Amino acid sequence: MTHPFAQPTSPLRNTSMAVAHDDRTVMRRASTLLAVAALGLAVLMALPRMAAAQDLFAPVIKVNDAVITGYELEQRARFLTLLRAPGDPNELAREQLIEDRLKMSVAKSAGITATPDQVMEGMEEFSARANMNAEQFIRALEGAGVSEQTFRAFAESGLVWREYVRARFASRVSVSEDELDRAERATAGSDVRVLLSEIIMPAPPQEAAAVQARAAELARLEGEAAFASAARQYSASATRSRGGRLDWMPLTKLPPALRPVILGLAPGQVSAPIPLNGAVALFQMRAIEETGVTQPEYSAIDYAAYYIPGGRSSDALAAAAKIKSRVDTCDDLYGIAKDQPEDILERGSKLPAEIPSDIALELAKLDDNEVSTALTRSDGQTLVFLMLCGRSTALTEGIGREELSLQLKNRRLIAYAEGFLAELRSAARIREQ
């Protein structure tokens, strides 16, 4: 029964309620569809990142049967950047990782591996150079985005290679008493002077293996005429037109690290390849003599380096010649560099052992206020206008014969190792993926 005061139900009201119900249903379905669509869009947007992450772990270089991933390249480059390694960190990372694969492969074939404890010891040793223990160094690396495994792989490769080199080449390395006698003279004032010839070959990263292999062949040259011919053909030094011949030079002017190598040469003998900054050097001993006049040891060398864009282009060399005509001393270079970026001119006094090897070698050929334009930087894109400002003399104490013998042996081991690594690289199948 219908209550007498009840309002009759309006057909319009029923329709409105139905529509409202349908609207809510539609809205719920729409919300669900929008949520699904949003999720799908998020997934689609994430796919490139997921693909990039997967690509990062995909092989990018194959070295014989071993692979190098994009992640390893990125990590090693970041690691080298933190270490402030000279050169392009990306290119250097590529070269190092290729060499690491070759080193680990040949060591494994010889049955040489490193235990986890030995690797950790190597990591501790490396960390100590930064005045940290391994744990502190690893935390610092991870804070900068470099994984512990990247550091561990770096340390392991170095350890394994060092053991392999000792096992393979140590029996070939010996130092005679006569060589030690001559090397001892290099530790303080000396009356020895040497007559050398040189071959300096640029070795940019992409050509480093080929240049090392060529240097290993040239190290076997016999006779001054053969060396002079090779210098004219391959050397980039200013002496190439003279067959690489240098003038008589006091031993104490040579870089300290080079003296034991030079003193270990007999007349006519060629040194093992010597790595420089972006180059490889070879020296032939033409003559050696005692003058009877002691030359002092140098405690510091003051020099200036002014950087000219263009490498060894005609424009850059012309600019260098113009600057040379305008300066008499290193102080004059401040006027040349005025209103230019600060890093275009470097001037300072350094210990001989702190000077880059290629610069130290050029400075050895110069007298005060003389100039060299033989060097470049930035893979040959920047010419170095190098000027010797002066040398400071000091008395030094000689080191013991045992330590000196060890230094000579280590340098020869390094030369053997670098030559063998160049051979490995020349024979390797290296493919970009």
Side-chain angles (χ1 to χ4, degrees), residues 256-278:
L258 186 58
R259 295 176 202 171
V261 176
I262 298 302
L263 285 171
L265 299 176
Q269 189 175 3
V270 178
S271 71
I274 299 169
L276 301 176
N277 189 342

Side-chain angles (χ1 to χ4, degrees), residues 319-342:
K322 184 176 180 180
I323 292 171
K324 186 177 180 180
S325 69
R326 294 173 56 192
V327 299
D328 296 315
T329 69
C330 290
D331 291 341
D332 296 334
L333 287 172
Y334 290 112
I336 302 294
K338 185 179 180 182
D339 299 326
Q340 297 186 62
E342 290 186 5

Side-chain angles (χ1 to χ4, degrees), residues 66-343:
V67 299
I68 299 169
T69 67
Y71 175 76
E72 290 175 292
L73 276 172
E74 186 270 336
Q75 282 281 294
R76 180 63 68 91
R78 187 172 295 185
F79 180 57
L80 292 171
T81 299
L82 293 174
L83 296 181
R84 297 182 180 178
D88 180 352
N90 294 308
E91 186 61 35
L92 187 58
R94 179 184 180 278
E95 296 303 308
Q96 283 192 1
L97 287 171
I98 289 172
E99 291 181 354
D100 283 357
R101 294 299 185 271
L102 296 172
K103 292 174 181 178
M104 295 295 286
S105 175
V106 73
K108 184 179 179 180
S109 298
I112 296 175
T113 58
T115 66
D117 287 344
Q118 289 172 327
V119 175
M120 178 53 69
E121 185 178 342
M123 294 166 70
E124 289 284 1
E125 179 184 337
F126 191 88
S127 301
R129 301 177 192 176
N131 298 317
M132 300 181 189
N133 59 35
E135 183 180 353
Q136 292 169 329
F137 194 71
I138 289 168
R139 283 203 304 267
L141 290 176
E142 289 178 338
V146 177
S147 72
E148 178 182 347
Q149 181 55 37
T150 296
F151 180 31
R152 186 176 297 277
F154 175 83
E156 182 180 11
S157 174
L159 281 171
V160 168
W161 180 242
R162 186 165 59 188
E163 289 305 311
Y164 176 81
V165 168
R166 286 174 179 169
R168 183 180 178 96
F169 300 113
S171 61
R172 305 186 193 181
V173 175
S174 61
V175 179
S176 69
E177 290 299 313
D178 185 51
E179 288 173 326
L180 280 174
D181 288 340
R182 286 182 295 179
E184 275 190 322
R185 299 184 186 124
T187 63
S190 171
D191 63 351
V192 174
R193 67 174 187 165
V194 291
L195 191 61
L196 301 173
S197 293
E198 66 176 2
I199 295 175
I200 311 293
M201 296 183 291
Q206 65 273 18
E207 300 176 19
V211 173
Q212 282 282 1
R214 184 192 305 143
E217 293 179 7
L218 296 180
R220 294 191 284 268
L221 288 174
E222 295 182 2
E224 291 184 21
F227 192 90
S229 176
R232 292 188 184 95
Q233 182 176 358
Y234 298 114
S235 184
S237 174
T239 59
R240 65 177 296 172
S241 61
R242 304 195 303 270
R245 293 181 178 89
L246 296 166
D247 296 329
W248 281 102
M249 183 182 301
L251 186 67
T252 53
K253 276 193 174 183
L254 287 171
L258 186 58
R259 295 176 202 171
V261 176
I262 298 302
L263 285 171
L265 299 176
Q269 189 175 3
V270 178
S271 71
I274 299 169
L276 301 176
N277 189 342
V280 177
L282 293 157
F283 295 93
Q284 183 182 54
M285 176 71 79
R286 290 172 19 233
I288 182 170
E289 68 176 22
E290 297 181 14
T291 63
V293 178
T294 300
Q295 296 290 329
E297 180 67 49
Y298 298 104
S299 61
I301 298 178
D302 183 10
Y303 69 94
Y306 180 83
Y307 299 104
I308 303 172
R312 301 198 61 79
S313 66
S314 57
D315 288 346
L317 291 171
K322 184 176 180 180
I323 292 171
K324 186 177 180 180
S325 69
R326 294 173 56 192
V327 299
D328 296 315
T329 69
C330 290
D331 291 341
D332 296 334
L333 287 172
Y334 290 112
I336 302 294
K338 185 179 180 182
D339 299 326
Q340 297 186 62
E342 290 186 5
D343 58 0

Side-chain angles (χ1 to χ4, degrees), residues 50-64:
M50 293 167 64
Q54 290 174 348
D55 287 344
L56 196 59
F57 288 94
V60 292
I61 302 172
K62 194 167 185 179
V63 184
N64 295 328

